[in-house]
Amino acid sequence: MVDNSKLFEKYTLNNKVEVPNLLAVAPLTLFGSNPDGSVSKEEREYLQSRATGIGLYILGAEAVSQEGIAFATQPRALSDKDIPSLEERAKIIKAQGALAINQIHHGGSLADSKYSGTSVVAVSAEIYNERLTKKDIKKGNEKKQLNNDEILRIINDFAKATELSIKAGFDGIEIHGANNYLI
């Protein structure tokens, strides 16, 4: 038999942050933002209906770099212009009593130039490009290999997204590095 007696008790993390209870919402990719990544009416309604009674709510896949945008309507933490949307997401979650965690993400080789308007980048373009057909190459699906300066810029983009998230009121961040995304 499972002991649920502590499920609804407060929990203190090692850094002394108190989580209201042990219930958490794992990060979900929602596809609900506006095309520019800002909060849509549908996203707002979704978030307002999901964080009640939750201790920790982790938002999903907030882009850190323009070339890292992987899907239409992806939320963004690229610059100060994204702060109002970041603030709104954090406020909606926190108003329901949950801690708000922003998951930051770079699509890397899985980004889509159709949404980013830039070349798709990869750690090793050769690995990805050798699988492409001539038709893929004609469509512009070739990946561009990152150089050292670009890698350092993307590291700084993750730092900037973290700074923007904290400035907007998030309680923390999570770096999304699963599914072959760039970290």
Side-chain angles (χ1 to χ4, degrees), residues 112-171:
D112 194 323
S113 60
K114 177 170 46 177
Y115 305 119
S116 70
T118 67
S119 297
V120 176
V121 299
V123 175
S124 175
E126 185 178 325
I127 292 170
Y128 296 101
N129 291 337
E130 70 186 19
R131 299 179 196 154
L132 296 176
T133 64
K134 287 181 184 178
K135 186 177 178 182
D136 286 328
I137 292 168
K138 210 173 193 180
K139 284 182 176 178
N141 290 336
E142 275 187 293
K143 315 298 185 214
K144 179 183 170 295
Q145 186 160 319
L146 291 166
N147 63 38
N148 286 340
D149 290 340
E150 291 166 323
I151 291 168
L152 292 173
R153 181 189 48 77
I154 291 171
I155 291 169
N156 285 325
D157 290 344
F158 273 96
K160 176 72 173 178
T162 299
E163 178 185 301
L164 293 169
S165 298
I166 300 304
K167 189 176 186 180
F170 280 92
D171 298 297

Side-chain angles (χ1 to χ4, degrees), residues 51-124:
T52 301
I54 300 297
L56 186 73
Y57 193 108
I58 307 170
L59 288 165
E62 192 100 22
V64 301
S65 301
Q66 184 67 33
E67 81 278 348
I69 296 173
F71 56 90
T73 74
Q74 183 168 8
R76 295 157 196 174
L78 308 179
S79 69
D80 286 347
K81 75 175 182 56
D82 297 313
I83 289 178
S85 290
L86 291 165
E87 286 175 334
E88 185 171 1
R89 289 181 182 104
K91 283 179 186 173
I92 290 170
I93 292 166
K94 292 170 85 163
Q96 297 173 73
L99 293 182
I101 307 298
N102 198 19
Q103 183 188 69
I104 57 177
H105 160 267
H106 189 295
S109 65
L110 299 175
D112 194 323
S113 60
K114 177 170 46 177
Y115 305 119
S116 70
T118 67
S119 297
V120 176
V121 299
V123 175
S124 175

